[in-house]
Amino acid sequence: MLTRKWKNSFSKKKLNEQLRFFFTLVISVLMIATLVVFTFSTIRSSYRRSKAEAEAQVNVLASSYASWLNNIDNLILSLIMENETQEFCLTTESSGDIYQNLYSELSEYLNRYQYVNSDVNSIAVINTGTGNYVYSGIGGTGVNSINFDNYYKESINSAKNAKIQGSLKFDYGYEYTNGESFTLSFYRPVYSTTEVGALLGLACVNLSDSILTDSISENMEICLTDSKGAVILSTDSTRMEKQESILDFQSQKAGSVFQGGYCYVYQQISGWNFYVVSIVPLEYFYQSSINTAIFIILLTIALLFAGLSAMRWIMDKSYEPLQQVLTAMDNATQNQLDTRINTNDMGADFEKLGSGFNHMMDEVQDLMNRLLKEQHQADQIRFNALQSQIQPHFLYNTLDTIHWQAKMDGKQEMSDLVMVLAKYYRICLSKGKDIIPLSTEMEQISYYLQIQNTRYGDIISYRTDVPEEFYLVRIPKLTLQPLVENSIYHGIRVKEGFKGTVCIKARRAEDGILIQVADCGIGMNEDQIRELNQSIQNFGEEVGYGVRNVNRRIQLLFGESYGLFYHANPEGGIIVDILLPEEYDEGTGDIENV
C-alpha cells in the first residue's frame, strides 16, 4: 500500500523533480559502487602483497629448514659409517674387555659428535642383535635431562617416515624430557658397510626445538608439521603442547587456506615429509589499506555532494525547453498531425528531441498515406478477384455449349480445344475460392500449355519436379499462370524457331515451401533482374500487371516475407521463386477476407 501511494505521489511530480530524484539515485548508486569497487581493489591489492610476502617468507624458511634437516641427515649418515659404530653393532658380546673397549671408543666418539652439534640433546647407537646401546646425554642445549632408557623403544615404534624416500624416521614430543621441554628425534637403521643389506643396529639423535628460534615474527606464527598437518614445532608453544592437526594438505606441495580468521600459507620441504606453515591473521593483510579506504570514503562523499548540486542546477535550467515538447505532444494527441516543434532556440540535446518528434510526425503521416494506398490496392485486388470469378463463369458455360456443338458437327480437334479451355476456366472458378491446392494449380497450367501449343505449334514442353508431399500445399489461384505466360511471351516465343521448356519444381525451404518456375528463354542481365525484383516489391508499373498482382496477393494473404523473386537460370533463361508458408489457415482462404 505504501509503495502504491509513493508511486502515485511520484508520478504527479514535475518532470524536472522526477529527473532530479532519478539522477540523485543514479549518482549515489554509482558513487557508492565506485567506492566499493575501489576499496575492494585496494584491499585486494594489499592482500595480494601481504600474501606474497608470507609466501616468500615460507619459501625462504622451507629452504633454510631443508638445509638444516639435510645437515642432520648427513651427520647421522656419517655416524653410521664410522668404524666405532660399525664395530659396536657387529659385536655379539655384552661384556668382557673387547665389549668394554668398543663401548668406550663409541662413547667417546658420541661425546665429540654431540659437542660439535649444539642442537643435539642426546645421541645413541643401539645394537639390535644384543639390545645393548651406547648413549651420550645432555650438552649445552638447555635441556635438563633425557629419559632415554624408559622411552626410546616406545618412541621408535611410533616414529614416522621423515623423508619421502629413505629409511630415516622421526618422532616428537615431551616424553624424553618428562614434560619439561619439547624435542625432536630421528632414527636411522645402521647397515653394514661390508655386507649389503645387513641390518646391524639403530642410530638415535634427539634435538631441541631451536630450529624455530630465528623464525619468530610479530605478524605471523611459524609451524613445522608432518605430511598430515600435525604440528611438530611451532613458535606458539601451546600448539606444540596440544600436538593438534591444523591442515589437510591433500598431497599439495604448496598453497594457502583460509579458516578461522587466519590465512595458512604452506610449503613442503623438498625431499622431506615436513611442511612449513605460516599462520597469518587476516587483519594483517588489510592494515595498509585502512587509511587509504578512509581517504577514499571522504573523497567520495565530497564528490557526491558536489555532483548532486551541479545536477540540480542543470535540471532546473534544462526544464524550460522541455515544456515546448510537452505542448507539442499534447497537440498531437488531439489529432493535430501537422504539429511541429521549432528547434531554433533549443539546446543541443532538446534540439535532437524536437527533431526526433518532427521526424516521428512525418513518419506517422507517411504511414497513414501508405496504409490508405495499401487499402486501395487490397480493394482493387478484391475487385479483380471478383471480376475473375464472374467472367470465367459465363465463359465456361458458353464454351461448354460450343464443345457439344462442335462434337455434333464432327469437328473433334475444335471440340477438344474448347474442352481444354473449359477445364481451364473451371479451375479459374474453383467454387469461388482464392486459395487452392498446388496440384490443382499445376493441372490448370497443363490445360493452359495445351492451348498455347495449339496456338503456336507445339513450341513449349512442360516438365514438373514436384514430390507428392507438396500436392496439397495451399497457393493463391492463378499464381503460376501469369508467370508461365511471361516465360512464353518474353522468353521462349521471342526466339525465332526455338522450342523451349517450362519446368515447375517444389522443395522445402528454411522459411516455408519454395516453388520455382524456370524457362530456357532469352533471359535477362543482372541489372534487369535487379530492377524487376525492386519493381515487384514496390508494386511498380515497370512490370506486367499480372506479375505485380500475384506478388501483392501473396503478401497480403501470407505476409511481407513471402512472394516472388527472380534470378538467372544457369541453363539459360529465368527462374522465378515463389515462397509460400508451409501451413495456412483455411479460414482466411478467400480474398474477400484480406
Side-chain angles (χ1 to χ4, degrees):
M1 183 64 69
L2 292 176
T3 302
R4 184 179 301 174
K5 289 183 178 180
W6 182 86
K7 288 182 177 179
N8 293 334
S9 175
F10 180 79
S11 63
K12 294 178 180 179
K13 293 182 179 294
K14 292 182 179 180
L15 179 59
N16 63 332
E17 294 176 345
Q18 294 178 352
L19 291 175
R20 184 186 302 167
F21 172 82
F22 172 75
F23 282 105
T24 298
L25 180 63
V26 170
I27 292 174
S28 300
V29 170
L30 289 176
M31 295 295 285
I32 293 173
T34 302
L35 173 63
V36 170
V37 170
F38 199 87
T39 302
F40 176 77
S41 177
T42 302
I43 293 175
R44 186 179 180 85
S45 176
S46 175
Y47 158 74
R48 288 179 174 177
R49 183 173 60 255
S50 300
K51 184 181 177 183
E53 292 175 358
E55 290 174 346
Q57 182 172 359
V58 168
N59 185 45
V60 171
L61 290 175
S63 299
S64 176
Y65 295 169
S67 298
W68 183 81
L69 290 169
N70 289 332
N71 184 47
I72 295 297
D73 189 29
N74 291 332
L75 289 174
I76 297 175
L77 285 174
S78 66
L79 169 63
I80 292 172
M81 301 297 291
E82 288 295 331
N83 291 331
E84 291 86 345
T85 302
Q86 290 286 319
E87 291 176 358
F88 177 80
C89 291
L90 281 170
T91 184
T92 58
E93 299 181 9
S94 299
S95 60
D97 293 338
I98 296 176
Y99 174 79
Q100 289 297 327
N101 289 335
L102 293 174
Y103 184 95
S104 298
E105 291 175 357
L106 181 56
S107 177
E108 182 179 352
Y109 174 77
L110 294 182
N111 288 332
R112 293 197 307 270
Y113 183 94
Q114 184 183 9
Y115 179 79
V116 173
N117 298 281
S118 60
D119 290 333
V120 176
N121 295 323
S122 67
I123 183 170
V125 175
I126 303 173
N127 185 324
T128 55
T130 63
N132 297 324
Y133 63 86
V134 179
Y135 169 81
S136 176
I138 307 305
T141 61
V143 177
N144 294 325
S145 64
I146 295 296
N147 188 17
F148 185 79
D149 291 339
N150 298 327
Y151 184 67
Y152 80 90
K153 292 182 180 180
E154 180 180 348
S155 178
I156 292 171
N157 291 332
S158 61
K160 307 173 186 177
N161 289 331
K163 301 188 72 173
I164 296 176
Q165 295 180 347
S167 57
L168 183 67
K169 294 181 177 294
F170 78 98
D171 188 30
Y172 58 94
Y174 289 88
E175 287 77 4
Y176 268 125
T177 62
N178 294 319
E180 294 182 1
S181 299
F182 190 91
T183 61
L184 180 63
S185 301
F186 288 97
Y187 304 99
R188 179 180 286 280
V190 178
Y191 289 98
S192 173
T193 58
T194 59
E195 184 179 352
V196 177
L199 178 63
L200 304 179
L202 185 70
C204 311
V205 177
N206 181 268
L207 306 168
S208 65
D209 61 352
S210 60
I211 182 176
L212 295 179
T213 302
D214 297 331
S215 304
I216 297 177
S217 172
E218 63 180 18
N219 295 320
M220 61 187 72
E221 176 187 349
I222 303 299
C223 295
L224 181 69
T225 72
D226 63 13
S227 58
K228 302 297 183 182
V231 174
I232 299 173
L233 300 174
S234 174
T235 54
D236 183 357
S237 59
T238 58
R239 291 191 189 275
M240 296 165 60
E241 293 172 0
K242 296 177 181 179
Q243 297 186 7
E244 61 181 346
S245 179
I246 59 174
L247 282 179
D248 181 6
F249 300 112
Q250 298 181 349
S251 302
Q252 299 293 324
K253 293 185 177 180
S256 59
V257 176
F258 292 94
Q259 60 183 32
Y262 292 89
C263 176
Y264 293 79
V265 181
Y266 61 88
Q267 180 169 324
Q268 185 178 18
I269 298 176
S270 178
W272 293 80
N273 287 322
F274 297 128
Y275 281 80
V276 177
V277 182
S278 174
I279 306 175
V280 188
L282 289 181
E283 57 266 20
Y284 168 73
F285 291 111
Y286 310 123
Q287 288 177 353
S288 61
S289 61
I290 294 177
N291 293 334
T292 303
I294 294 175
F295 173 76
I296 293 173
I297 292 173
L298 295 176
L299 179 61
T300 301
I301 294 173
L303 291 175
L304 179 60
F305 278 106
L308 293 178
S309 299
M311 179 272 299
R312 290 173 62 89
W313 182 84
I314 293 173
M315 288 297 170
D316 293 339
K317 194 69 176 176
S318 302
Y319 184 71
E320 297 176 1
L322 183 59
Q323 186 61 48
Q324 183 181 352
V325 177
L326 296 177
T327 301
M329 294 181 69
D330 289 337
N331 293 337
T333 58
Q334 300 298 323
N335 293 326
Q336 299 179 22
L337 300 182
D338 58 345
T339 299
R340 298 294 183 273
I341 297 176
N342 183 1
T343 60
N344 292 334
D345 298 329
M346 303 178 74
D349 293 336
F350 285 103
E351 183 178 350
K352 292 181 180 179
L353 180 61
S355 299
F357 177 84
N358 292 339
H359 178 72
M360 179 187 67
M361 296 305 298
D362 292 338
E363 290 292 325
V364 168
Q365 285 193 320
D366 290 343
L367 178 61
M368 294 294 293
N369 294 333
R370 189 160 55 250
L371 289 175
L372 290 174
K373 184 178 179 181
E374 289 179 356
Q375 184 63 41
H376 173 72
Q377 292 175 0
D379 292 340
Q380 185 65 35
I381 290 175
R382 291 192 195 98
F383 174 76
N384 293 336
L386 181 60
Q387 194 175 46
S388 68
Q389 293 170 11
I390 294 174
Q391 294 173 355
H393 192 280
F394 172 75
L395 284 175
Y396 172 71
N397 292 333
T398 303
L399 290 172
D400 188 59
T401 302
I402 295 173
H403 159 68
W404 289 111
Q405 185 65 45
K407 195 172 186 66
M408 288 186 295
D409 292 343
K411 299 178 180 179
Q412 186 62 40
E413 184 177 354
M414 180 181 294
S415 173
D416 292 341
L417 180 60
V418 171
M419 192 62 193
V420 170
L421 184 59
K423 291 179 179 179
Y424 171 83
Y425 279 109
R426 190 192 325 179
I427 295 176
C428 288
L429 286 175
S430 298
K431 297 181 180 180
K433 292 185 177 180
D434 192 62
I435 306 297
I436 62 176
L438 177 59
S439 59
T440 304
E441 181 77 356
M442 293 171 58
E443 181 183 355
Q444 184 187 35
I445 292 301
S446 68
Y447 296 147
Y448 173 76
L449 291 176
Q450 289 181 47
I451 295 171
Q452 292 290 33
N453 276 328
T454 300
R455 182 179 181 186
Y456 294 113
D458 292 327
I459 67 170
I460 308 157
S461 61
Y462 178 46
R463 182 161 52 89
T464 63
D465 182 11
V466 179
E468 289 187 11
E469 62 176 303
F470 300 119
Y471 281 2
L472 296 181
V473 170
R474 314 302 288 173
I475 185 171
K477 180 175 60 181
L478 294 176
T479 293
L480 299 180
Q481 187 272 332
L483 305 179
V484 173
E485 182 179 350
N486 267 9
S487 296
I488 296 172
Y489 283 95
H490 300 292
I492 298 174
R493 193 170 68 87
V494 295
K495 281 189 174 183
E496 186 175 354
F498 177 75
K499 291 185 178 183
T501 300
V502 173
C503 180
I504 297 178
K505 301 179 181 180
R507 62 180 176 85
R508 199 175 303 277
E510 182 178 353
D511 301 325
I513 303 300
L514 183 66
I515 301 172
Q516 293 182 319
V517 178
D519 65 63
C520 54
I522 61 173
M524 291 185 288
N525 59 39
E526 293 183 1
D527 292 337
Q528 290 174 326
I529 293 175
R530 183 169 57 255
E531 291 177 2
L532 177 58
N533 286 324
Q534 291 177 351
S535 181
I536 290 174
Q537 296 301 322
N538 298 329
F539 208 67
E541 300 290 340
E542 292 81 0
V543 296
Y545 173 78
V547 175
R548 286 185 286 131
N549 190 46
V550 167
N551 185 68
R552 194 56 180 163
R553 285 174 65 213
I554 292 174
Q555 291 183 340
L556 289 173
L557 285 167
F558 305 132
E560 296 290 335
S561 60
Y562 300 99
L564 306 183
F565 181 79
Y566 279 84
H567 56 93
N569 187 350
E571 299 177 0
I574 290 294
I575 296 176
V576 56
D577 291 343
I578 308 165
L579 183 62
L580 300 174
E582 187 169 354
E583 297 181 358
Y584 181 68
D585 185 4
E586 289 289 346
T588 59
D590 298 332
I591 194 66
E592 287 77 10
N593 294 327
V594 174

